[in-house]
Amino acid sequence: MTANNYSGLCIGVTGLNANDNPGPGVAVIRALKEGLGTGLRIIGLSYESLEPGIYMRDMVDKTYSIPYPTEGTAALFERLTYINDKEQLNFIIPNFDAELHNFIKLAPQLQQIGIRTFLPSIEQLMIRDKVNLYDFGQKNGFHVPADHKLYAAGDVQKATEELGFPLVVKGKFYEAYIAHNKEAAIKAFNQLATTWGYPVIAQQYIKGTEINIAALGDGDGNNISIVPMRKLYITDKGKAWAGVTIEDAALIALADQFAKATKWRGGYELEIMRDADDKLFILEINPRFPAWIYLTAAAGQNQPLALVKMAFGEKLTRFEEYQAGKLFIRHSWDQVVDIADFQRISALGEL
């Protein structure tokens, strides 16, 4: 099936926050536009009025605000129904961990009004959650750093006694800090608990080389695409600001082992640390495309495009090759827009 068969598609995309802690949305859109051509219509779905992707008119045709995940599925479905009445959405790609539970729950209802998705199940979503990751690793033969769940500042003491320093302190959904003493660990705990809620995760620090793997599962225990990337520059939020595709059979095998163990459906990212003994530790499993997902398209495996085709029932053969040595380097860009656009999305919820 060629890209022409998908001409005229209208696809909703979240994660438009292309800032210093970027969401995957803009990169997903870039890959889709490259794969599907000029007939594609992109509808941005935003949570904040300052998400830069809202104002990228060459990338996003129209943007609507949607309710925060905490408002529940009923509010989300009501808003998506309104948007669908205006735009006739064919497909939605959610790109934030925190919103996935609602979108997965709503998938059958969205299908009834003509909106397709291609998402994991609630069970799949939960087994790789940070809270459950260590137990998942123990059960399925993966190396996962030891962790401790923190519900109060007093829990930090026990975590430091068990795990030592340095210690990685992680938010329930996002953000992580490396603490070298108890005071820094408590500060990180308080900040992450306030931002993301409980539990906060204290995780054993593993020294080594950071590697990420972007992959696409078919829901039957197989991967359609796997592209590993080694981080070259990392921000203070732990985000890759530069990285390069690498060729490594052990990384491909690890992603295949994960897909087989979970029967994952959709895009996902494995965050890996390779230690001095060449052991691969899974630090996190993100249940959606990463912010660097356009690199997969540049390297020859356009995962967002493949996701769309799978959602529409196309049987894809596994990508077997990609270009190693493809490098991405992020940069900041001052995007100048009219204040009237900001006021419109803020007041009316659409632009």
Short mmCIF file of all heavy atoms in Angstrom, two decimals, residues 156-221:
data_model
loop_
_atom_site.label_atom_id
_atom_site.label_comp_id
_atom_site.label_asym_id
_atom_site.label_seq_id
_atom_site.Cartn_x
_atom_site.Cartn_y
_atom_site.Cartn_z
N VAL A 156 12.92 8.51 52.61
CA VAL A 156 14.19 8.74 51.93
C VAL A 156 15.33 8.10 52.70
O VAL A 156 16.26 7.53 52.11
CB VAL A 156 14.44 10.26 51.73
CG1 VAL A 156 15.83 10.51 51.16
CG2 VAL A 156 13.37 10.85 50.82
N GLN A 157 15.29 8.16 54.03
CA GLN A 157 16.35 7.58 54.85
C GLN A 157 16.51 6.09 54.58
O GLN A 157 17.63 5.61 54.35
CB GLN A 157 16.05 7.81 56.33
CG GLN A 157 17.08 7.21 57.29
CD GLN A 157 18.45 7.83 57.16
OE1 GLN A 157 18.58 9.03 56.96
NE2 GLN A 157 19.49 7.00 57.23
N LYS A 158 15.42 5.37 54.56
CA LYS A 158 15.49 3.92 54.30
C LYS A 158 16.00 3.64 52.90
O LYS A 158 16.80 2.72 52.68
CB LYS A 158 14.12 3.29 54.50
CG LYS A 158 14.13 1.77 54.38
CD LYS A 158 12.77 1.17 54.69
CE LYS A 158 12.82 -0.35 54.58
NZ LYS A 158 11.50 -0.97 54.85
N ALA A 159 15.57 4.45 51.93
CA ALA A 159 16.02 4.26 50.55
C ALA A 159 17.51 4.46 50.42
O ALA A 159 18.20 3.69 49.74
CB ALA A 159 15.27 5.22 49.63
N THR A 160 18.04 5.48 51.10
CA THR A 160 19.47 5.74 51.01
C THR A 160 20.27 4.64 51.70
O THR A 160 21.37 4.29 51.26
CB THR A 160 19.83 7.11 51.60
OG1 THR A 160 19.41 7.15 52.98
CG2 THR A 160 19.14 8.22 50.85
N GLU A 161 19.74 4.07 52.77
CA GLU A 161 20.42 2.97 53.45
C GLU A 161 20.47 1.73 52.56
O GLU A 161 21.47 1.00 52.55
CB GLU A 161 19.70 2.64 54.76
CG GLU A 161 19.84 3.73 55.83
CD GLU A 161 18.95 3.45 57.04
OE1 GLU A 161 18.21 2.44 57.01
OE2 GLU A 161 19.00 4.25 58.00
N GLU A 162 19.41 1.49 51.82
CA GLU A 162 19.35 0.30 50.96
C GLU A 162 20.12 0.48 49.66
O GLU A 162 20.77 -0.45 49.18
CB GLU A 162 17.90 -0.04 50.63
CG GLU A 162 17.09 -0.52 51.81
CD GLU A 162 15.66 -0.83 51.40
OE1 GLU A 162 15.32 -0.67 50.20
OE2 GLU A 162 14.86 -1.24 52.28
N LEU A 163 20.03 1.69 49.07
CA LEU A 163 20.55 1.89 47.72
C LEU A 163 21.85 2.68 47.66
O LEU A 163 22.55 2.64 46.65
CB LEU A 163 19.49 2.59 46.87
CG LEU A 163 18.11 1.90 46.80
CD1 LEU A 163 17.12 2.76 46.02
CD2 LEU A 163 18.24 0.52 46.18
N GLY A 164 22.18 3.41 48.73
CA GLY A 164 23.41 4.19 48.76
C GLY A 164 23.35 5.43 47.88
O GLY A 164 22.31 5.78 47.33
N PHE A 165 24.51 6.09 47.75
CA PHE A 165 24.65 7.28 46.90
C PHE A 165 25.69 7.03 45.84
O PHE A 165 26.62 6.25 46.05
CB PHE A 165 25.04 8.49 47.75
CG PHE A 165 23.92 9.01 48.63
CD1 PHE A 165 24.00 8.82 50.01
CD2 PHE A 165 22.83 9.67 48.09
CE1 PHE A 165 22.98 9.29 50.84
CE2 PHE A 165 21.81 10.13 48.91
CZ PHE A 165 21.89 9.94 50.28
N PRO A 166 25.57 7.71 44.68
CA PRO A 166 24.46 8.58 44.29
C PRO A 166 23.16 7.78 44.12
O PRO A 166 23.19 6.56 43.95
CB PRO A 166 24.91 9.19 42.97
CG PRO A 166 25.90 8.24 42.43
CD PRO A 166 26.58 7.62 43.61
N LEU A 167 22.05 8.50 44.15
CA LEU A 167 20.73 7.90 44.10
C LEU A 167 19.90 8.65 43.05
O LEU A 167 19.97 9.88 42.98
CB LEU A 167 20.07 8.05 45.48
CG LEU A 167 18.67 7.49 45.69
CD1 LEU A 167 18.72 5.96 45.68
CD2 LEU A 167 18.11 7.99 47.02
N VAL A 168 19.17 7.93 42.25
CA VAL A 168 18.31 8.57 41.25
C VAL A 168 16.90 8.69 41.84
O VAL A 168 16.33 7.70 42.30
CB VAL A 168 18.25 7.75 39.95
CG1 VAL A 168 17.41 8.50 38.90
CG2 VAL A 168 19.66 7.51 39.41
N VAL A 169 16.38 9.92 41.85
CA VAL A 169 15.04 10.17 42.37
C VAL A 169 14.15 10.57 41.20
O VAL A 169 14.45 11.55 40.50
CB VAL A 169 15.05 11.27 43.45
CG1 VAL A 169 13.67 11.42 44.07
CG2 VAL A 169 16.09 10.97 44.52
N LYS A 170 13.06 9.81 40.98
CA LYS A 170 12.24 9.97 39.78
C LYS A 170 10.80 10.32 40.12
O LYS A 170 10.24 9.80 41.09
CB LYS A 170 12.23 8.67 38.96
CG LYS A 170 13.58 8.27 38.40
CD LYS A 170 13.45 7.03 37.54
CE LYS A 170 14.75 6.72 36.84
NZ LYS A 170 14.59 5.59 35.90
N GLY A 171 10.22 11.17 39.28
CA GLY A 171 8.80 11.47 39.40
C GLY A 171 7.96 10.32 38.87
O GLY A 171 8.42 9.49 38.09
N LYS A 172 6.71 10.28 39.30
CA LYS A 172 5.81 9.20 38.91
C LYS A 172 5.66 9.10 37.40
O LYS A 172 5.59 8.01 36.84
CB LYS A 172 4.44 9.44 39.56
CG LYS A 172 3.42 8.35 39.29
CD LYS A 172 2.11 8.64 40.02
CE LYS A 172 1.07 7.56 39.78
NZ LYS A 172 -0.20 7.85 40.49
N PHE A 173 5.61 10.27 36.72
CA PHE A 173 5.47 10.28 35.27
C PHE A 173 6.72 10.78 34.57
O PHE A 173 7.18 10.19 33.59
CB PHE A 173 4.27 11.15 34.85
CG PHE A 173 2.94 10.58 35.27
CD1 PHE A 173 2.17 11.23 36.22
CD2 PHE A 173 2.47 9.41 34.72
CE1 PHE A 173 0.94 10.72 36.60
CE2 PHE A 173 1.25 8.89 35.10
CZ PHE A 173 0.48 9.53 36.04
N TYR A 174 7.29 11.89 35.06
CA TYR A 174 8.42 12.51 34.37
C TYR A 174 9.43 13.04 35.39
O TYR A 174 9.14 13.13 36.57
CB TYR A 174 7.95 13.67 33.49
CG TYR A 174 6.92 13.30 32.46
CD1 TYR A 174 5.58 13.64 32.64
CD2 TYR A 174 7.27 12.61 31.30
CE1 TYR A 174 4.63 13.31 31.69
CE2 TYR A 174 6.32 12.26 30.35
CZ TYR A 174 5.00 12.62 30.54
OH TYR A 174 4.06 12.28 29.62
N GLU A 175 10.58 13.40 34.86
CA GLU A 175 11.67 14.05 35.59
C GLU A 175 12.42 13.09 36.50
O GLU A 175 11.84 12.19 37.09
CB GLU A 175 11.18 15.27 36.40
CG GLU A 175 10.68 16.41 35.53
CD GLU A 175 10.41 17.64 36.38
OE1 GLU A 175 11.40 18.27 36.85
OE2 GLU A 175 9.23 17.99 36.58
N ALA A 176 13.73 13.35 36.57
CA ALA A 176 14.60 12.55 37.43
C ALA A 176 15.79 13.40 37.84
O ALA A 176 16.27 14.24 37.07
CB ALA A 176 15.07 11.30 36.70
N TYR A 177 16.25 13.19 39.06
CA TYR A 177 17.41 13.91 39.57
C TYR A 177 18.37 12.91 40.21
O TYR A 177 17.95 11.94 40.84
CB TYR A 177 16.98 14.95 40.61
CG TYR A 177 16.07 16.01 40.06
CD1 TYR A 177 14.68 15.89 40.18
CD2 TYR A 177 16.57 17.13 39.42
CE1 TYR A 177 13.83 16.86 39.67
CE2 TYR A 177 15.73 18.11 38.89
CZ TYR A 177 14.36 17.96 39.03
OH TYR A 177 13.53 18.90 38.51
N ILE A 178 19.66 13.19 40.05
CA ILE A 178 20.68 12.37 40.72
C ILE A 178 21.06 13.08 42.01
O ILE A 178 21.53 14.22 41.99
CB ILE A 178 21.91 12.18 39.82
CG1 ILE A 178 21.52 11.44 38.54
CG2 ILE A 178 23.00 11.41 40.57
CD1 ILE A 178 22.65 11.31 37.53
N ALA A 179 20.83 12.42 43.14
CA ALA A 179 21.12 12.98 44.46
C ALA A 179 22.40 12.36 45.01
O ALA A 179 22.55 11.13 45.02
CB ALA A 179 19.96 12.73 45.41
N HIS A 180 23.30 13.22 45.50
CA HIS A 180 24.57 12.73 46.03
C HIS A 180 24.61 12.75 47.56
O HIS A 180 25.59 12.32 48.16
CB HIS A 180 25.73 13.57 45.48
CG HIS A 180 25.92 13.39 44.00
ND1 HIS A 180 26.72 12.40 43.47
CD2 HIS A 180 25.39 14.07 42.95
CE1 HIS A 180 26.70 12.48 42.14
NE2 HIS A 180 25.90 13.48 41.80
N ASN A 181 23.53 13.24 48.18
CA ASN A 181 23.45 13.22 49.63
C ASN A 181 21.97 13.24 50.03
O ASN A 181 21.08 13.42 49.18
CB ASN A 181 24.21 14.40 50.27
CG ASN A 181 23.77 15.73 49.69
OD1 ASN A 181 22.58 16.08 49.72
ND2 ASN A 181 24.72 16.50 49.16
N LYS A 182 21.72 13.06 51.31
CA LYS A 182 20.35 12.95 51.79
C LYS A 182 19.57 14.24 51.57
O LYS A 182 18.38 14.21 51.20
CB LYS A 182 20.35 12.58 53.28
CG LYS A 182 18.96 12.37 53.85
CD LYS A 182 19.03 11.98 55.32
CE LYS A 182 17.63 11.86 55.93
NZ LYS A 182 17.70 11.52 57.37
N GLU A 183 20.21 15.38 51.77
CA GLU A 183 19.52 16.65 51.61
C GLU A 183 19.03 16.83 50.17
O GLU A 183 17.90 17.27 49.92
CB GLU A 183 20.44 17.81 52.00
CG GLU A 183 20.74 17.92 53.48
CD GLU A 183 21.66 16.80 54.00
OE1 GLU A 183 22.43 16.24 53.17
OE2 GLU A 183 21.57 16.48 55.19
N ALA A 184 19.88 16.48 49.22
CA ALA A 184 19.51 16.60 47.82
C ALA A 184 18.39 15.63 47.47
O ALA A 184 17.49 15.94 46.68
CB ALA A 184 20.72 16.35 46.92
N ALA A 185 18.42 14.44 48.08
CA ALA A 185 17.37 13.45 47.82
C ALA A 185 16.02 13.92 48.35
O ALA A 185 14.99 13.75 47.69
CB ALA A 185 17.76 12.11 48.46
N ILE A 186 16.02 14.52 49.55
CA ILE A 186 14.77 15.03 50.12
C ILE A 186 14.24 16.19 49.29
O ILE A 186 13.02 16.29 49.03
CB ILE A 186 14.99 15.46 51.59
CG1 ILE A 186 15.26 14.22 52.46
CG2 ILE A 186 13.79 16.23 52.11
CD1 ILE A 186 15.60 14.55 53.89
N LYS A 187 15.12 17.07 48.83
CA LYS A 187 14.70 18.19 47.99
C LYS A 187 14.06 17.68 46.70
O LYS A 187 13.00 18.16 46.28
CB LYS A 187 15.91 19.08 47.67
CG LYS A 187 15.56 20.27 46.79
CD LYS A 187 16.79 21.12 46.50
CE LYS A 187 16.44 22.28 45.58
NZ LYS A 187 17.64 23.12 45.25
N ALA A 188 14.69 16.68 46.08
CA ALA A 188 14.15 16.11 44.85
C ALA A 188 12.81 15.44 45.11
O ALA A 188 11.86 15.57 44.32
CB ALA A 188 15.14 15.11 44.26
N PHE A 189 12.72 14.72 46.23
CA PHE A 189 11.47 14.06 46.60
C PHE A 189 10.34 15.08 46.72
O PHE A 189 9.25 14.89 46.15
CB PHE A 189 11.62 13.29 47.90
CG PHE A 189 10.31 12.90 48.52
CD1 PHE A 189 9.61 11.80 48.05
CD2 PHE A 189 9.76 13.65 49.56
CE1 PHE A 189 8.38 11.45 48.59
CE2 PHE A 189 8.53 13.30 50.11
CZ PHE A 189 7.84 12.19 49.62
N ASN A 190 10.58 16.15 47.45
CA ASN A 190 9.54 17.16 47.67
C ASN A 190 9.10 17.81 46.36
O ASN A 190 7.90 18.02 46.12
CB ASN A 190 10.04 18.23 48.64
CG ASN A 190 10.14 17.72 50.06
OD1 ASN A 190 9.37 16.84 50.47
ND2 ASN A 190 11.08 18.24 50.83
N GLN A 191 10.07 18.11 45.50
CA GLN A 191 9.76 18.76 44.22
C GLN A 191 8.96 17.83 43.32
O GLN A 191 7.95 18.24 42.72
CB GLN A 191 11.06 19.18 43.54
CG GLN A 191 10.84 19.89 42.21
CD GLN A 191 12.14 20.43 41.64
OE1 GLN A 191 13.08 20.74 42.37
NE2 GLN A 191 12.20 20.55 40.32
N LEU A 192 9.36 16.57 43.23
CA LEU A 192 8.69 15.62 42.34
C LEU A 192 7.32 15.22 42.86
O LEU A 192 6.38 15.02 42.08
CB LEU A 192 9.57 14.39 42.13
CG LEU A 192 10.87 14.65 41.37
CD1 LEU A 192 11.80 13.45 41.44
CD2 LEU A 192 10.57 15.02 39.92
N ALA A 193 7.19 15.10 44.17
CA ALA A 193 5.89 14.77 44.75
C ALA A 193 4.88 15.89 44.50
O ALA A 193 3.71 15.63 44.19
CB ALA A 193 6.03 14.51 46.24
N THR A 194 5.34 17.13 44.61
CA THR A 194 4.47 18.27 44.37
C THR A 194 4.02 18.33 42.91
O THR A 194 2.87 18.62 42.60
CB THR A 194 5.19 19.58 44.74
OG1 THR A 194 5.54 19.55 46.13
CG2 THR A 194 4.31 20.79 44.46
N THR A 195 4.95 18.01 42.01
CA THR A 195 4.66 18.11 40.57
C THR A 195 3.86 16.94 40.05
O THR A 195 2.88 17.12 39.31
CB THR A 195 5.98 18.22 39.77
OG1 THR A 195 6.75 19.32 40.28
CG2 THR A 195 5.69 18.45 38.29
N TRP A 196 4.24 15.72 40.44
CA TRP A 196 3.68 14.52 39.81
C TRP A 196 2.91 13.61 40.75
O TRP A 196 2.29 12.64 40.31
CB TRP A 196 4.79 13.71 39.14
CG TRP A 196 5.54 14.50 38.12
CD1 TRP A 196 6.84 14.88 38.17
CD2 TRP A 196 5.03 15.02 36.88
NE1 TRP A 196 7.19 15.61 37.07
CE2 TRP A 196 6.08 15.70 36.25
CE3 TRP A 196 3.79 14.96 36.25
CZ2 TRP A 196 5.93 16.33 35.02
CZ3 TRP A 196 3.63 15.59 35.02
CH2 TRP A 196 4.69 16.26 34.42
N GLY A 197 2.94 13.88 42.04
CA GLY A 197 2.20 13.04 42.98
C GLY A 197 3.02 11.86 43.47
O GLY A 197 4.22 11.75 43.21
N TYR A 198 2.35 10.94 44.16
CA TYR A 198 3.01 9.80 44.79
C TYR A 198 2.68 8.50 44.06
O TYR A 198 1.62 8.39 43.42
CB TYR A 198 2.55 9.69 46.25
CG TYR A 198 2.86 10.90 47.08
CD1 TYR A 198 1.89 11.86 47.33
CD2 TYR A 198 4.13 11.09 47.62
CE1 TYR A 198 2.16 12.99 48.08
CE2 TYR A 198 4.42 12.21 48.38
CZ TYR A 198 3.43 13.15 48.61
OH TYR A 198 3.72 14.27 49.36
N PRO A 199 3.57 7.52 44.17
CA PRO A 199 4.85 7.58 44.85
C PRO A 199 5.93 8.22 43.99
O PRO A 199 5.84 8.23 42.76
CB PRO A 199 5.18 6.10 45.09
CG PRO A 199 4.57 5.40 43.92
CD PRO A 199 3.31 6.16 43.62
N VAL A 200 6.95 8.75 44.66
CA VAL A 200 8.20 9.11 44.02
C VAL A 200 9.08 7.87 44.06
O VAL A 200 9.00 7.09 45.01
CB VAL A 200 8.87 10.30 44.73
CG1 VAL A 200 10.24 10.60 44.16
CG2 VAL A 200 7.96 11.53 44.67
N ILE A 201 9.89 7.66 43.05
CA ILE A 201 10.70 6.45 42.96
C ILE A 201 12.16 6.78 43.22
O ILE A 201 12.74 7.65 42.56
CB ILE A 201 10.59 5.78 41.57
CG1 ILE A 201 9.12 5.67 41.14
CG2 ILE A 201 11.27 4.42 41.58
CD1 ILE A 201 8.27 4.83 42.03
N ALA A 202 12.77 6.12 44.21
CA ALA A 202 14.21 6.17 44.40
C ALA A 202 14.80 4.93 43.74
O ALA A 202 14.37 3.81 44.03
CB ALA A 202 14.56 6.19 45.89
N GLN A 203 15.75 5.13 42.83
CA GLN A 203 16.29 4.01 42.06
C GLN A 203 17.81 3.95 42.20
O GLN A 203 18.49 4.98 42.25
CB GLN A 203 15.90 4.17 40.58
CG GLN A 203 16.20 2.94 39.72
CD GLN A 203 15.76 3.15 38.28
OE1 GLN A 203 16.31 3.97 37.56
NE2 GLN A 203 14.75 2.40 37.85
N GLN A 204 18.31 2.75 42.28
CA GLN A 204 19.76 2.51 42.32
C GLN A 204 20.44 3.18 41.14
O GLN A 204 19.96 3.09 40.00
CB GLN A 204 20.02 1.01 42.30
CG GLN A 204 21.48 0.61 42.22
CD GLN A 204 21.64 -0.88 41.93
OE1 GLN A 204 20.66 -1.57 41.67
NE2 GLN A 204 22.87 -1.37 41.98
N TYR A 205 21.55 3.86 41.39
CA TYR A 205 22.29 4.52 40.32
C TYR A 205 23.20 3.51 39.63
O TYR A 205 23.96 2.79 40.27
CB TYR A 205 23.13 5.67 40.89
CG TYR A 205 24.00 6.36 39.87
CD1 TYR A 205 23.45 7.31 39.01
CD2 TYR A 205 25.35 6.08 39.76
CE1 TYR A 205 24.23 7.97 38.07
CE2 TYR A 205 26.15 6.72 38.82
CZ TYR A 205 25.58 7.66 37.97
OH TYR A 205 26.36 8.30 37.04
N ILE A 206 23.08 3.47 38.32
CA ILE A 206 23.93 2.59 37.51
C ILE A 206 24.83 3.47 36.65
O ILE A 206 24.34 4.29 35.87
CB ILE A 206 23.10 1.65 36.60
CG1 ILE A 206 22.11 0.84 37.43
CG2 ILE A 206 24.03 0.74 35.79
CD1 ILE A 206 22.73 -0.16 38.37
N LYS A 207 26.12 3.30 36.78
CA LYS A 207 27.07 4.07 35.98
C LYS A 207 27.32 3.36 34.66
O LYS A 207 27.50 2.15 34.63
CB LYS A 207 28.39 4.25 36.73
CG LYS A 207 29.39 5.16 36.01
CD LYS A 207 30.66 5.33 36.83
CE LYS A 207 31.65 6.24 36.10
NZ LYS A 207 32.91 6.41 36.88
N GLY A 208 27.31 4.13 33.57
CA GLY A 208 27.56 3.51 32.28
C GLY A 208 27.21 4.42 31.12
O GLY A 208 27.19 5.64 31.25
N THR A 209 26.90 3.81 29.99
CA THR A 209 26.56 4.53 28.76
C THR A 209 25.04 4.50 28.57
O THR A 209 24.44 3.43 28.60
CB THR A 209 27.24 3.88 27.54
OG1 THR A 209 28.66 3.88 27.73
CG2 THR A 209 26.90 4.64 26.26
N GLU A 210 24.44 5.67 28.36
CA GLU A 210 22.99 5.75 28.20
C GLU A 210 22.59 5.48 26.75
O GLU A 210 23.13 6.09 25.82
CB GLU A 210 22.47 7.12 28.63
CG GLU A 210 22.58 7.36 30.12
CD GLU A 210 21.75 8.56 30.57
OE1 GLU A 210 20.60 8.67 30.11
OE2 GLU A 210 22.27 9.36 31.36
N ILE A 211 21.65 4.58 26.59
CA ILE A 211 21.15 4.19 25.28
C ILE A 211 19.63 4.15 25.34
O ILE A 211 19.06 3.68 26.32
CB ILE A 211 21.69 2.80 24.87
CG1 ILE A 211 23.21 2.81 24.78
CG2 ILE A 211 21.08 2.34 23.53
CD1 ILE A 211 23.83 1.44 24.70
N ASN A 212 19.00 4.65 24.31
CA ASN A 212 17.55 4.55 24.19
C ASN A 212 17.19 3.73 22.97
O ASN A 212 17.89 3.77 21.96
CB ASN A 212 16.91 5.94 24.06
CG ASN A 212 16.97 6.73 25.35
OD1 ASN A 212 17.69 6.38 26.27
ND2 ASN A 212 16.22 7.80 25.42
N ILE A 213 16.08 3.00 23.07
CA ILE A 213 15.61 2.20 21.94
C ILE A 213 14.17 2.58 21.64
O ILE A 213 13.30 2.49 22.52
CB ILE A 213 15.67 0.69 22.25
CG1 ILE A 213 17.08 0.27 22.68
CG2 ILE A 213 15.20 -0.13 21.04
CD1 ILE A 213 17.16 -1.17 23.20
N ALA A 214 13.91 3.05 20.42
CA ALA A 214 12.55 3.31 19.98
C ALA A 214 12.07 2.08 19.21
O ALA A 214 12.76 1.59 18.32
CB ALA A 214 12.48 4.54 19.09
N ALA A 215 10.89 1.58 19.57
CA ALA A 215 10.38 0.36 18.93
C ALA A 215 8.88 0.45 18.74
O ALA A 215 8.20 1.27 19.37
CB ALA A 215 10.75 -0.87 19.75
N LEU A 216 8.37 -0.41 17.86
CA LEU A 216 6.94 -0.44 17.54
C LEU A 216 6.47 -1.88 17.57
O LEU A 216 6.91 -2.70 16.76
CB LEU A 216 6.71 0.17 16.16
CG LEU A 216 5.27 0.18 15.62
CD1 LEU A 216 4.36 0.97 16.54
CD2 LEU A 216 5.25 0.76 14.20
N GLY A 217 5.59 -2.19 18.56
CA GLY A 217 5.08 -3.55 18.72
C GLY A 217 3.77 -3.75 17.98
O GLY A 217 2.94 -2.83 17.90
N ASP A 218 3.56 -4.98 17.47
CA ASP A 218 2.34 -5.25 16.70
C ASP A 218 1.19 -5.78 17.54
O ASP A 218 0.10 -6.01 17.03
CB ASP A 218 2.64 -6.21 15.55
CG ASP A 218 3.05 -7.61 16.01
OD1 ASP A 218 3.09 -7.88 17.24
OD2 ASP A 218 3.32 -8.46 15.13
N GLY A 219 1.41 -6.00 18.83
CA GLY A 219 0.36 -6.52 19.70
C GLY A 219 0.31 -8.02 19.78
O GLY A 219 -0.45 -8.59 20.56
N ASP A 220 1.13 -8.70 18.98
CA ASP A 220 1.17 -10.16 18.97
C ASP A 220 2.51 -10.72 19.44
O ASP A 220 2.80 -11.90 19.23
CB ASP A 220 0.88 -10.69 17.55
CG ASP A 220 -0.54 -10.38 17.10
OD1 ASP A 220 -1.46 -10.51 17.93
OD2 ASP A 220 -0.72 -10.00 15.93
N GLY A 221 3.31 -9.86 20.05
CA GLY A 221 4.60 -10.32 20.57
C GLY A 221 5.78 -10.04 19.66
O GLY A 221 6.89 -10.52 19.92
#
